[in-house]
C-alpha cells in the first residue's frame, strides 16, 4: 500500500494502544458472534423492502470477548463502500445500543476498535493471500477495508466519540454537564 495508508494503519494501531488497551480490564465480556457483516446475514421476505435481517450464519469466529467488539466489528463492515463512515458506524452503534445498551467506557473505545478491526482485516487478507493465492474469498474485503481505513482517518476521534455518545442518548461531550 501507499505510504499514506501505512501511516493511517499505524495511527489506528496507536489509537488502539492509547484508548482501548488501558480500558480493557473494565470492559464487559460475553460470548459474541465476532463477524457480523452482510455476508453472514440472512434476509427475510424478498418482496418486502427494506429487507428484514432474520438471522446470522457463520459462527466460526464466535468467542468470549469484549461486548463492545460486536458493534465495532459490525460498524467496520458497515463503513466499507460508504461515503460517510461516521454516519454508517453511528447507525450500527445506535441500533446495537437500542437492543443492548453500551456503557460509557465501551462507547469511548468504539472508534479505536473499529479502526483496529479494519487493520486486522487487511493484515489477515495479506497473510491468507500468501497461503491461498488462488482463493478470491480470502481477499473479498481487503480493498474495501483499505478504503474504509482511509475514509475513517478523516474523522477525528473525538468527533466519533461524541457522535457515538449522542446516538446512544448521552450528552455528546462527556464534560458538558459539569461545564
Amino acid at each position: 500500500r501507499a505510504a499514506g495508508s501505512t501511516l493511517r494503519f499505524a495511527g489506528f494501531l496507536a489509537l488502539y494502544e492509547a484508548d482501548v488497551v488501558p480500558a480493557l480490564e473494565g470492559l464487559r465480556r460475553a460470548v459474541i458472534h465476532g463477524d457480523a457483516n452482510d455476508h453472514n446475514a440472512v434476509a427475510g421476505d424478498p418482496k418486502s423492502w427494506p429487507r428484514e435481517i432474520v438471522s446470522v450464519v457463520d459462527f466460526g469466529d464466535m468467542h468470549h470477548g469484549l461486548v463492545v467488539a460486536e458493534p465495532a466489528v459490525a460498524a467496520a463492515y458497515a463503513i466499507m463502500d460508504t461515503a460517510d463512515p461516521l454516519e454508517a458506524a453511528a447507525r450500527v452503534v445506535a441500533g446495537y445500543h437500542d437492543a443492548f445498551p453500551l456503557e460509557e467506557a465501551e462507547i469511548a473505545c468504539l472508534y479505536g476498535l473499529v479502526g483496529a478491526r479494519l487493520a486486522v482485516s487487511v493484515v489477515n487478507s495479506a497473510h491468507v493471500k500468501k497461503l491461498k493465492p488462488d482463493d478470491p474469498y480470502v481477499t473479498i474485503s481487503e480493498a474495501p477495508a483499505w478504503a474504509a481505513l482511509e475514509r475513517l482517518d478523516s474523522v477525528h476521534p473525538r468527533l466519533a466519540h461524541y457522535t457515538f455518545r449522542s446516538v446512544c442518548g448521552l450528552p455528546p461531550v462527556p464534560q458538558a454537564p459539569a461545564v
Side-chain angles (χ1 to χ4, degrees), residues 18 127 149 160:
H127 174 68
L149 271 170

Side-chain angles (χ1 to χ4, degrees), residues 36-58:
N37 69 73
D38 54 343
H39 294 285
N40 292 337
V42 178
D45 183 0
K47 295 176 186 161
S48 68
W49 193 258
R51 303 243 344 242
E52 180 184 5
I53 303 301
V54 296
S55 185
V56 294
V57 295
D58 187 3

Side-chain angles (χ1 to χ4, degrees), residues 10 15 17-18 21 33-34 42 47 59 64 74 85 87 89 132 161 166 169 172:
L15 183 67
E17 288 286 331
V21 170
H33 181 269
V42 178
K47 295 176 186 161
F59 297 98
H64 188 263
E87 178 187 355
K132 300 178 183 180
H161 179 212
S166 179

Side-chain angles (χ1 to χ4, degrees), residues 66-79:
L66 299 175
V67 168
V68 69
E70 196 78 277
V73 168
Y77 281 107
I79 67 174

Side-chain angles (χ1 to χ4, degrees), residues 14 16 30 49 51 69 93 118 124 145 151-152 160 174-175:
Y16 177 85
W49 193 258
R51 303 243 344 242
V93 171
L118 290 168
N124 188 52
R151 284 190 307 279
L152 190 60
Q175 304 86 349

